[in-house]
Amino acid sequence: MTNDKVSAQNMLHRMIVDFTANELAPIDMKIDQLGDYPEGLFQKVVDNGLLGITLPREYGGAGFDYIAAAQAINAMAFGNASMAVTLEGHFKTISQFLKYGQPELLAKYLPSATKRIFAFSQTESSGGSNPTGISTRAVKQGDDWIITGDKIMITNGGLAQVYCVLAKTEDDQMAVFVVDQDMPGFQFGKREDFIGLRGTPVGEIVMDHIKVPDYHLLGEIGQGHEIGNNAHDDARILMGAVLAGIMKHELKIAVDYSKQRKALDTPLYELQTIQEKIADIAIAKQNTELLYQHGAELKTAGEPYSEIAAMAKSYGSRSAVSAGDKALQVLAGYGYSREYPIEHLIRDARAMEIAEGTVEKMNTEIATKEVAK
Amino acid sequence: MKIVVCIKQVPNTDTVKIDPKTNNLVRSNVEGIINLFDRNAIEAALQLRQQAGGEVILLSMGPNSYISSLRDGLAMGADSAILLSSRKFGGADTLATAYVLSEAIKKIGNVDLILFGRQSVDADTGQVGPIVAEELQVPQVTFAESIELQDKNQLIGHRLLDNLVQEVKVHLPAVVTVRDEMNQPRYETPLNIQKSFEKEIIIWSENELAVDPAQIGQTGSPTVVKRIYSPEKAGRQTTTLPTDPHAAVTQLLEELNN
């Protein structure tokens, strides 16, 4: 990397650290309690250009690579994991546009991606990570496609205005199409009431005979599954970054408390049982950082990254839940109290044992790749 | 409108550590950042540019490592940056610094407004801005909490002093030193960060400026620092005088006579 590139990346990181410290961290608990972003907060994210971090310069974005984006998301998750996941959902979708979108589609939509959120939707009530049972249909009508179906549990669903949707064109053929909220036949459904990442909207869209032109197809007919998997891989790297950020937060809370609290006359941090927990959290955080950073480096270099992305999310999510539990134990009664953020960090981390593929699915994928080597 | 903002790089106090043996600041590997009040000055300049058009030029004097702070200022939205850098400028006190800055401002030419932070957070003198105003023979508004352009040639500033606010009207060009009460500096945006690397940072040494060698660097610096110490806090007593002027004067005279 050139010196300028490293310097720009460091400046971006510092900007996100400042933004997070001033705008997000002070209201982290409030966002959890509110179950939403307070009015005006998302607009600050937009006004400060954060949606355009990975968007190429030709479309009005800043054109940072995935390494910088993952680092930015990690810094943000230290202060608030919900907003970090909102950016994750947007960045992974932009990646699919760039990889699979036709020039006409990119020209139509990407210039607006600095102002509005793009989302990727696969899951239906019939299934999530395994999309073979989906019922959303795309039917060719002249030069257009007519899309009908119902997508649920979409990251940023309701907040996003542009959606990539996985649909069947034949019983055994899947493809991804782009729809937006202004199209006739588009409706928002219900928002999920999840226990963690409560700021991040997760919702449903209903498509009733939405007509889109042919260039709204991402990639080719039959490539739907591949694009869906690619979106998962891109998301998993960034989720690793979110999880490492959550663990950094957990570690800080545990360390700070161990310094201020004494057991009789001994500070907690001098007790071996406490040291054990602090060390475990620190090691897990460090490992997750190495995994997500390596995943981002591989993606940026054009190398295969699917397995490392799965590792970052699988290891990171389990570790962050476990690290939260250990931090809670360091704080004991206070850790169990809702006055402290530990309990919501555990709930936040827990979401990522499920979202973008369950831990069990991650591990199946990792094992399959290892066996095939 | 051509606005020059003079900025200084200072150690990031968040990363500064104290050497436990010497009790001195450990300056090696300490990150340099824009002096906090200078960020307010940049923000003020950017707002004026938005209002009146024109350009914002950053100006700083220091080693090449100051480029990172100029880059930060460009990422906030400034148009261009000039670094005054030479070994011969080294060791300058506030007088020699202000002299070189003034000569650079003359070289830039047709400058309408020169903004400074009210003081640096490391040296805390607050002298460079006022000396530059004297060097350039232009009016100055120090400790400004707000500024407002009247027209192309006049500016009204409000100086926030200890117990009062003073409204000052000055003709341009002028020097203004900016308090942090004036505004909330904007964030550098990701796009502006990238754009900042496409803007050239011009470096001028004594060769590009018409400077008198006797007035620059250590030679041009009459200030001699004999000792740096924390003054002992004297336990002085405060007497509050009555609000009635007659009674206040009577009591004051009594106190003085005692």
Side-chain angles (χ1 to χ4, degrees):
Chain A
M1 269 198 286
T2 63
N3 286 342
D4 280 1
K5 194 171 174 186
V6 172
S7 301
Q9 203 169 305
N10 289 341
M11 285 169 75
L12 175 70
H13 181 251
R14 207 175 54 221
M15 181 261 161
I16 300 289
V17 167
D18 286 349
F19 183 87
T20 302
N22 295 333
E23 313 292 346
L24 296 173
I27 55 168
D28 179 52
M29 301 274 280
K30 185 181 169 187
I31 289 170
D32 180 67
Q33 286 153 10
L34 197 62
D36 205 347
Y37 299 132
E39 202 179 329
L41 181 65
F42 178 67
Q43 196 54 43
K44 280 186 190 170
V45 170
V46 173
D47 292 345
N48 284 289
L50 302 190
L51 297 190
I53 288 176
T54 61
L55 189 69
R57 293 287 299 276
E58 62 197 284
Y59 301 112
F64 280 98
D65 64 21
Y66 230 62
I67 299 169
Q71 196 181 26
I73 277 185
N74 175 254
M76 184 174 279
F78 175 60
N80 180 251
S82 286
M83 193 61 87
V85 168
T86 283
L87 289 189
E88 168 269 309
H90 181 61
F91 293 165
K92 78 155 181 206
T93 310
I94 298 295
S95 275
Q96 309 324 305
F97 266 75
L98 292 170
K99 186 168 180 182
Y100 298 103
Q102 301 173 40
E104 207 174 346
L105 182 78
L106 304 190
K108 179 176 176 180
Y109 281 103
L110 288 189
S112 70
T114 57
K115 302 284 179 210
R116 51 184 193 168
I117 289 269
F118 288 28
F120 201 96
S121 58
Q122 295 197 66
T123 303
E124 298 184 8
S125 53
S126 60
S129 302
N130 177 7
T132 48
I134 62 168
S135 55
T136 297
R137 284 276 172 176
V139 178
K140 187 88 174 168
Q141 192 179 78
D143 291 336
D144 299 321
W145 290 90
I146 307 297
I147 301 167
T148 301
D150 187 352
K151 294 287 178 187
I152 61 168
M153 295 192 187
I154 308 165
T155 302
N156 295 324
L159 178 66
Q161 298 182 34
V162 179
Y163 292 81
C164 297
V165 293
L166 185 71
K168 279 187 174 170
T169 52
E170 304 283 343
D171 281 344
D172 57 349
Q173 291 273 47
M174 285 193 289
V176 175
F177 295 88
V178 173
V179 302
D180 70 58
Q181 65 166 19
D182 298 325
M183 291 175 164
F186 182 102
Q187 258 194 316
F188 288 117
K190 73 159 187 161
R191 177 174 172 153
E192 298 293 340
D193 186 16
F194 281 153
I195 62 167
L197 294 175
R198 290 186 53 75
T200 319
V202 177
E204 175 186 20
I205 60 168
V206 181
M207 296 164 287
D208 181 11
H209 294 84
I210 294 181
K211 185 160 89 172
V212 298
D214 198 41
Y215 67 85
H216 275 228
L217 172 69
L218 283 188
E220 294 171 5
I221 300 298
Q223 235 182 336
H225 205 181
E226 177 200 320
I227 298 171
N229 285 341
N230 198 70
H232 276 322
D233 292 342
D234 290 346
R236 290 167 189 171
I237 293 171
L238 300 180
M239 281 200 168
V242 173
L243 290 157
I246 290 175
M247 279 185 266
K248 188 178 174 190
H249 195 173
E250 292 167 339
L251 181 63
K252 183 176 189 312
I253 293 166
V255 168
D256 287 352
Y257 187 80
S258 75
K259 286 180 181 170
Q260 75 184 45
R261 175 79 183 214
K262 288 181 178 173
L264 297 177
D265 287 334
T266 310
L268 288 190
Y269 68 86
E270 287 185 11
L271 301 176
Q272 200 169 12
T273 50
I274 299 296
Q275 291 172 345
E276 189 82 13
K277 292 176 181 61
I278 288 173
D280 282 348
I281 302 169
I283 292 166
K285 175 190 82 77
Q286 189 70 39
N287 281 337
T288 308
E289 282 174 3
L290 293 171
L291 284 168
Y292 91 72
Q293 286 164 359
H294 188 44
E297 284 161 8
L298 289 173
K299 176 175 162 62
T300 305
E303 304 281 338
Y305 57 93
S306 182
E307 185 179 4
I308 207 86
M311 287 179 179
K313 198 181 88 78
S314 173
Y315 176 82
S317 59
R318 282 191 164 162
S319 301
V321 171
S322 164
D325 191 50
K326 284 168 185 156
L328 188 153
Q329 197 66 14
V330 171
L331 272 70
Y334 290 113
Y336 196 63
S337 164
R338 298 188 83 158
E339 271 183 46
Y340 279 75
I342 287 285
E343 62 87 22
H344 101 68
L345 296 181
I346 296 174
R347 286 187 278 110
D348 286 355
R350 189 67 179 81
M352 284 167 277
E353 288 192 68
I354 302 162
E356 301 291 349
T358 59
V359 166
E360 291 78 4
K361 184 164 187 294
M362 301 295 96
N363 292 351
T364 299
E365 288 178 20
I366 294 165
T368 305
K369 286 194 167 74
E370 288 299 321
V371 170
K373 279 180 186 172
Chain B
M1 184 168 205
K2 195 187 272 189
I3 307 169
V4 169
V5 186
C6 297
I7 68 169
K8 183 180 183 184
Q9 181 167 296
V10 296
N12 183 355
T13 46
D14 290 346
T15 59
V16 167
K17 293 201 164 101
I18 307 287
D19 184 328
K21 285 183 187 158
T22 63
N23 278 329
N24 285 335
L25 292 180
V26 180
R27 285 184 181 266
S28 57
N29 293 326
V30 172
E31 184 193 18
I33 57 168
I34 300 178
N35 177 45
L36 295 180
F37 299 114
D38 299 352
R39 291 180 74 89
N40 296 102
I42 296 172
E43 178 61 36
L46 296 173
Q47 288 181 14
L48 286 174
R49 184 186 65 184
Q50 199 168 347
Q51 184 190 334
E55 61 177 322
V56 174
I57 303 165
L58 304 175
L59 181 64
S60 191
M61 186 173 99
N64 277 348
S65 58
Y66 275 38
I67 283 178
S68 65
S69 290
L70 289 168
R71 192 80 69 200
D72 279 328
L74 292 172
M76 284 177 73
D79 298 289
S80 59
I82 302 167
L83 178 66
L84 309 174
S85 193
S86 164
R87 284 191 177 278
K88 295 201 172 157
F89 297 155
D93 66 2
T94 52
L95 187 67
T97 302
Y99 169 66
V100 179
L101 289 174
S102 307
E103 290 304 316
I105 291 164
K106 286 179 196 167
K107 183 176 166 72
I108 292 167
N110 299 319
V111 174
D112 299 296
L113 185 62
I114 303 129
L115 298 179
F116 288 82
R118 68 168 184 166
Q119 66 204 66
S120 62
V121 295
D122 56 352
D124 260 343
T125 68
Q127 293 173 355
V128 175
I131 300 174
V132 165
E134 288 304 308
E135 289 279 1
L136 297 174
Q137 290 292 295
V138 299
Q140 56 181 293
V141 183
T142 53
F143 300 104
E145 63 161 359
S146 72
I147 46 176
E148 191 187 322
L149 283 177
Q150 282 294 91
D151 52 50
K152 276 166 118 182
N153 303 311
Q154 287 188 104
L155 173 142
I156 289 182
H158 289 94
R159 305 179 64 219
L160 177 59
L161 306 174
D162 282 349
N163 289 313
L164 59 98
V165 175
Q166 185 182 37
E167 185 176 292
V168 185
K169 185 190 277 188
V170 291
H171 285 277
L172 300 179
V175 166
V176 176
T177 74
V178 173
R179 296 186 67 113
D180 56 342
E181 288 86 351
M182 187 179 284
N183 54 44
Q184 176 67 42
R186 68 194 61 191
Y187 297 104
E188 300 166 16
T189 67
L191 179 57
N192 278 344
I193 288 170
Q194 297 282 39
K195 283 182 175 173
S196 76
F197 287 88
E198 290 152 21
K199 295 173 184 170
E200 188 192 4
I201 295 178
I202 298 164
I203 297 179
W204 286 343
S205 68
E206 69 281 5
N207 298 325
E208 283 79 22
L209 299 173
V211 288
D212 172 4
Q215 292 188 63
I216 63 172
Q218 215 142 25
T219 319
S221 300
T223 310
V224 177
V225 179
K226 294 176 88 171
R227 187 163 69 101
I228 295 177
Y229 64 97
S230 299
E232 280 182 27
K233 281 187 181 169
R236 296 198 176 103
Q237 192 187 342
T238 304
T239 304
T240 305
L241 298 173
T243 50
D244 173 53
H246 185 75
V249 171
T250 307
Q251 191 179 328
L252 179 62
L253 288 173
E254 276 174 21
E255 295 276 344
L256 291 173
N257 286 332
N258 289 336

